Amino acid sequence: MSAHECDVVVVGLGPGGEALVARLAKAGLAVVAVEAELVGGECPYWGCIPSKMFIRAGNLLAEARRIATLSGTATVTPDFSLVAKRIRDEATDNWDDTVAADRITAAGATLVRGHGRLAGDRTVEVAGETYVAAKGVVLNTGTTAAVPPIPGLSDTPFWTNREALKAEQAPGSLIVIGGGAIGLELAQAYARFDTDVTVLEVAPRILAPEEPESSELLTKVFESEGIGVHAGITIDRVDHDGTTFAVTCGDATYEAEQLLVAAGRRSRLDDIGLDTVGVEAGKFLAVSDDMQVTGGNGSGGLWAIGDIVGRGAFTHLSMYHAERAAKAILGEPLADYDDSFPRVTFTDPEVGGVGITEQQARDKGLNVRVGLTDVSASSRGFVHGLGNEGLIKVVIDADRDVIVGATSAGPTGGETLSALAFAVRAEIPLATLSNTVYAYPTFWRAIESAL
Ligand SMILES: Cc1cc2nc3c(=O)[nH]c(=O)nc-3n(C[C@H](O)[C@H](O)[C@H](O)COP(=O)(O)OP(=O)(O)OC[C@H]3O[C@@H](n4cnc5c(N)ncnc54)[C@H](O)[C@@H]3O)c2cc1C
């Protein structure tokens, strides 16, 4: 059978792959887009969008419960079927990607359904057909939930993010293995629908990649909401007797109706033919700043974008990588790589971070100064009252007088982060930041106090 010729093959259509296909096709290239599951990837169907809809619903319940202190009386009766319906009908079209697939073809690209594998230089095999790409191949195969090798776990009907976001009913009780962003967001959202939730984290603290102050803050808030938080533990085994999960951690055994494993993500790199181009991947694929895969047979023509490159697992990064790969492929000028990228954990309070943490700055040998302020004690925090927990932390390189990292936690932590993200990215001098008027009484005015 003869090979199909084209300019570019994109294998895997996460948010970045989808955007890249449209961008290149609209620029006039012949693009073949390969997808094994749903066009758009994890984010719209089992990730960002459904989880944020769920969180929005849970946060409304939490706000309603605050009414008793602030404004009167309300009877709050959670109805999980409403959020399940909204996820099914509005977020995911019942896990149907027709609209996204049509966008790909409308842009002029060819969509091929199936599992794509490299079959040598600039060549991809999918569904028994071979595609040869004159310019090259872009990999955007993303991640799946990592399942830790805990004895007994694999024999149980545990949930990952996919089942947790496709559920039709909230379980009576839930153990969450993993106190990272995904585990914490889902833990709190379920708790707000009256699920009795326990979070188990093997690292010494939850939300370990962020500042310790953020971990302390969320631990305090979660515990005040009745969510069990156990960090620094060892999980010995998991059992399921047909109705109940039992998680054994030393002398303690936690039991629940459901178990969610949110213990990190695993790159989908093992069955995509990397060996056929001489590329060895560890946990991630190494790329240069134009997203070109490094190593291998050295002939070029292989790019990778999104979670698999190990530069942060966020939709906005996948899209950023896509634009960089597009520019590289189209021969357009590329600016420097922005590695200060923002990240937001959408708990209540939201925890936003940008740039490096205080510890990372110290490890780099910077002359570090730190500013920290309590958002609940700020003017807006005072006005807000119940639910006002938060903090702003800035990490300053005192030799250059610029912020190299910042945290913004609070009721609008993710939004407030935007000002700090610009400050870090643009290396705005401290003198300018200090000689700036911060609107009163906003949450972002607390940045001035931190400075
Ligand atoms: C519960 C949850 C909540 C999240 N919330 C946020 C959030 O609020 N904000 C945020 O920025 N990020 C969030 N993320 C992360 C975000 O979903 C990912 O970073 C984002 O989807 C980018 O991933 P990606 O582009 O690497 O590919 P993915 O989205 O993982 O998609 C990869 C695609 O490639 C396909 N594929 C894989 N292998 C092949 C193959 N060999 N052939 C053909 N197709 C293949 C897959 O089927 C999939 O469709 C969340 C993730 C989860 C799980």
Side-chain angles (χ1 to χ4, degrees):
M1 194 180 303
S2 66
H4 304 274
E5 291 183 359
C6 61
D7 292 316
V8 176
V9 178
V10 179
V11 180
L13 302 175
E18 189 187 348
L20 178 66
V21 165
R23 168 89 152 87
L24 295 179
K26 284 179 186 163
L29 298 192
V31 184
V32 173
V34 184
E35 174 52 54
E37 291 188 87
L38 297 179
V39 174
E42 205 72 7
C43 176
Y45 299 102
W46 303 282
C48 333
I49 300 297
S51 65
K52 265 79 260 180
M53 259 186 193
F54 184 15
I55 287 164
R56 158 83 176 134
N59 287 356
L60 268 179
L61 292 171
E63 274 295 271
R65 286 167 178 140
R66 290 168 184 148
I67 284 178
T69 311
L70 297 175
S71 22
T73 48
T75 309
V76 184
T77 311
D79 180 352
F80 195 79
S81 71
L82 294 175
V83 72
K85 181 176 183 326
R86 200 161 171 237
I87 288 175
R88 191 177 57 242
D89 297 351
E90 293 178 39
T92 67
D93 268 351
N94 203 13
W95 290 273
D96 180 323
D97 67 352
T98 305
V99 173
D102 287 350
R103 273 199 304 265
I104 295 277
T105 44
T110 304
L111 176 62
V112 179
R113 302 276 187 181
H115 182 100
R117 269 179 210 89
L118 287 161
D121 197 21
R122 294 162 210 259
T123 306
V124 172
E125 283 178 358
V126 51
E129 302 284 329
T130 301
Y131 298 84
V132 177
K135 287 187 180 289
V137 175
V138 185
L139 302 172
N140 178 220
T141 53
T143 59
T144 51
V147 179
I150 301 169
L153 176 61
S154 61
D155 300 327
T156 69
F158 64 86
W159 279 357
T160 66
N161 60 297
R162 290 199 170 193
E163 291 76 24
L165 288 167
K166 220 175 166 175
E168 293 287 335
Q169 284 179 343
S173 52
L174 175 71
I175 294 169
V176 180
I177 294 183
I182 294 172
L184 294 175
E185 288 181 3
L186 293 173
Q188 192 182 42
Y190 268 109
R192 290 179 166 187
F193 276 88
D194 289 349
T195 298
D196 185 3
V197 180
T198 304
V199 176
L200 304 178
E201 170 58 64
V202 296
R205 58 187 175 89
I206 58 171
L207 210 60
E210 301 297 341
E211 295 283 8
E213 291 86 351
S214 300
S215 308
E216 276 168 38
L217 175 72
L218 282 193
T219 302
K220 206 173 83 194
V221 170
F222 272 41
E223 287 178 347
S224 75
E225 294 182 357
I227 302 170
V229 178
H230 306 277
I233 51 147
T234 304
I235 302 176
D236 298 319
R237 65 171 295 108
V238 173
D239 294 288
H240 186 253
D241 65 4
T243 48
T244 306
F245 285 88
V247 182
T248 310
C249 308
D251 294 340
T253 299
Y254 303 96
E255 290 189 343
E257 187 183 321
Q258 195 47 259
L259 173 70
L260 167 62
V261 174
R265 308 285 301 169
R266 189 174 65 81
S267 302
R268 288 194 198 91
L269 293 174
D270 37 9
D271 186 22
I272 55 171
L274 287 172
D275 52 315
T276 69
V277 289
V279 171
E280 270 186 43
K283 216 174 155 197
F284 302 111
L285 265 184
V287 291
S288 53
D289 283 354
D290 67 354
M291 313 317 296
Q292 185 123 211
V293 175
T294 55
N297 60 18
S299 64
L302 184 63
W303 289 266
I305 62 173
D307 295 3
I308 55 173
V309 306
R311 294 187 178 201
F314 296 97
T315 288
H316 42 276
L317 285 180
S318 184
M319 312 277 287
Y320 181 67
H321 295 167
E323 183 54 23
R324 294 187 74 79
K327 285 196 160 88
I329 291 167
L330 295 169
E332 295 174 7
L334 256 185
D336 63 322
Y337 188 94
D338 173 13
D339 55 11
S340 68
F341 64 87
R343 36 194 201 269
V344 179
T345 300
F346 291 88
T347 42
D348 171 20
E350 294 177 356
V351 178
V354 63
I356 55 178
T357 61
E358 178 182 350
Q359 190 58 52
Q360 287 167 336
R362 293 195 189 285
D363 291 346
K364 283 178 98 165
L366 300 184
N367 180 10
V368 174
R369 276 198 297 136
V370 168
L372 181 65
T373 194
D374 177 0
V375 163
S376 65
S378 69
S379 51
R380 182 59 180 273
F382 172 70
V383 172
H384 193 85
L386 206 61
N388 63 1
E389 295 87 351
L391 63 94
I392 303 268
K393 179 171 178 177
V394 290
V395 179
I396 292 161
D397 175 353
D399 289 343
R400 292 190 301 138
D401 259 353
V402 293
I403 301 180
V404 291
T407 296
S408 152
T412 61
E415 307 301 327
T416 302
L417 184 72
S418 61
L420 294 160
F422 285 123
V424 173
R425 172 63 176 144
E427 301 187 335
I428 300 174
L430 275 192
T432 309
L433 291 172
S434 302
N435 184 25
T436 295
V437 181
Y438 296 81
Y440 180 90
T442 59
F443 282 116
W444 58 275
R445 189 173 159 80
I447 294 171
E448 188 181 41
S449 312
L451 286 169

